[in-house]
Amino acid sequence: MNTSLMAQTITSMTPGRDLDGYMNAIGGIAVLTAEQEKDLAERFYYKEDLDAARQLVVSHLRFVVHIAKSYSGYGLNQSDLIQEGNVGLMKAVKRFNPEVGVRLVSFAVHWIKAEIHEFILKNWRIVKVATTKAQRKLFFNLRSAKKRLGWLNNAEASKIAEDLGVAVKEVHEMEGRLTAYDSAFDSPVADDDDAAFQAPVNYLEDHSYDPASQIEQADYEQDSTSRLQDALVQLDERSQDILMRRWLVEEKATLQELADEYGVSAERIRQLEKNAMKKVKGMMEASA
């Protein structure tokens, strides 16, 4: 069964603005016995009984809340974390095989945490702090360790690196990412003048008004214009006219318009234009 179809069966049991009301609602749902859970799981697994799937999901919503609360230190909305965990729970119910002999809660914990982890990594920072599987594992394990420790010393970093199978350098790099914070490139409009100067945009060097660069650019443009004029006067009058009217005037002429004036084909005008530009380029390079 499609997970989205399962989701439609519990739309009335999703956390929103009234998180306390959601907690109270799921708190009143009875916990399934092992026999009840197995019966519901078999009905869904073998007969695709949608109501059985709904009961399995709803009866485990409190478990999702319990897991989501352990991720409250990331500064993300609790309702969002719970909702992502609910998605993981539905995926677990969809894949749960009652013949394996384990309770659904033991099987679902992996799927619930996986969805919450993905949500945290996508939304915790503007810049991604972990992209590979190894980095993700390091991110969450180091985050947990940092609750007990200040800045890691070499011995602590080495121990974590050994436990997770990564280099000590990677542990220190991830620790730096954890302690960093996002800041706006430009200062908000509402900021006062005393705080606005701290925005990163104010620390960028502006080269557009550098006197030396402006003089250099002006000299280059003047020199290029002079060499272009010298090259043009060395062309025959027809070639000069074609280049001028095709490239150097406001209202440019088409190949066909020039062809009609000179009594030749448009293709011949294109060839003359190409040869003239080649000559001009060669003369400008020779005079550089």
Side-chain angles (χ1 to χ4, degrees):
M1 184 192 67
N2 192 300
T3 304
S4 62
L5 294 178
M6 189 191 302
Q8 294 175 13
T9 68
I10 59 168
T11 52
S12 61
M13 297 299 297
T14 55
R17 294 182 179 178
D18 186 10
L19 186 57
D20 290 336
Y22 174 80
M23 300 284 197
N24 292 332
I26 64 174
I29 300 172
V31 177
L32 297 175
T33 64
E35 292 75 18
Q36 290 173 325
E37 179 181 292
K38 191 172 191 306
D39 176 63
L40 291 171
E42 288 177 345
R43 282 166 50 191
F44 176 58
Y45 188 78
Y46 294 112
K47 301 178 182 179
E48 296 189 357
D49 186 334
L50 190 61
D51 184 64
R54 182 192 64 79
Q55 292 183 59
L56 286 171
V57 171
V58 171
S59 63
H60 286 82
L61 292 177
R62 70 176 71 198
F63 178 64
V64 175
V65 172
H66 175 72
I67 294 178
K69 284 182 176 180
S70 66
Y71 294 94
S72 59
Y74 292 90
L76 297 173
N77 189 285
Q78 191 71 29
S79 294
D80 291 337
L81 292 173
I82 294 172
Q83 183 58 33
E84 294 300 319
N86 287 347
V87 172
L89 173 61
M90 288 186 283
K91 289 183 177 181
V93 169
K94 179 182 177 182
R95 293 165 174 80
F96 184 58
N97 184 349
E99 302 301 332
V100 174
V102 298
R103 293 296 297 267
L104 174 59
V105 68
S106 299
F107 178 77
V109 64
H110 163 76
W111 294 95
I112 295 169
K113 287 186 175 182
E115 290 297 321
I116 293 177
H117 285 187
E118 188 69 23
F119 177 76
I120 290 173
L121 290 171
K122 286 182 178 179
N123 296 276
W124 189 50
R125 294 276 169 80
I126 294 174
V127 179
K128 289 185 177 180
V129 294
T131 53
T132 66
K133 183 177 180 181
Q135 287 178 339
R136 293 180 180 207
K137 182 178 179 181
L138 177 58
F139 172 83
F140 286 103
N141 281 274
L142 187 57
R143 174 79 180 183
S144 177
K146 291 289 288 183
K147 293 179 181 178
R148 305 186 303 274
L149 304 170
W151 280 96
L152 299 174
N153 57 39
N154 289 333
E156 293 165 341
S158 298
K159 180 64 169 62
I160 292 175
E162 182 181 353
D163 292 342
L164 300 179
V166 298
V168 176
K169 179 182 177 182
E170 293 182 54
V171 174
H172 286 304
E173 287 179 353
M174 185 58 71
E175 183 181 27
R177 296 181 189 181
L178 284 170
T179 54
Y181 62 91
D182 295 328
S183 63
F185 176 71
D186 203 352
S187 58
V189 178
D191 275 4
D192 56 60
D193 293 338
D194 292 334
F197 76 93
Q198 300 178 27
V201 66
N202 295 303
Y203 291 89
L204 295 179
E205 186 177 356
D206 185 359
H207 297 280
S208 60
Y209 296 100
D210 178 48
S213 297
Q214 289 183 318
I215 293 173
E216 181 182 0
Q217 182 64 25
D219 287 345
Y220 173 78
E221 291 176 357
Q222 184 178 359
D223 179 62
S224 296
T225 301
S226 176
R227 286 189 290 116
L228 175 60
Q229 290 174 343
D230 291 342
L232 283 173
V233 298
Q234 298 182 55
L235 298 175
D236 60 85
E237 291 186 7
R238 184 171 64 174
S239 296
Q240 286 185 43
D241 184 51
I242 290 174
L243 284 188
M244 289 289 293
R245 295 172 63 186
R246 287 283 292 158
W247 296 98
L248 303 175
V249 294
E250 189 82 22
E251 296 183 8
K252 298 178 174 57
T254 66
L255 291 173
Q256 190 58 54
E257 288 173 345
L258 292 170
D260 293 339
E261 287 185 28
Y262 285 103
V264 295
S265 66
E267 175 59 23
R268 179 56 181 159
I269 295 296
R270 189 192 66 78
Q271 292 174 356
L272 291 170
E273 176 189 32
K274 181 179 179 182
N275 291 335
M277 292 185 70
K278 185 176 180 180
K279 289 179 182 179
V280 168
K281 182 179 179 181
M283 288 184 284
M284 289 183 67
E285 290 176 349
S287 62

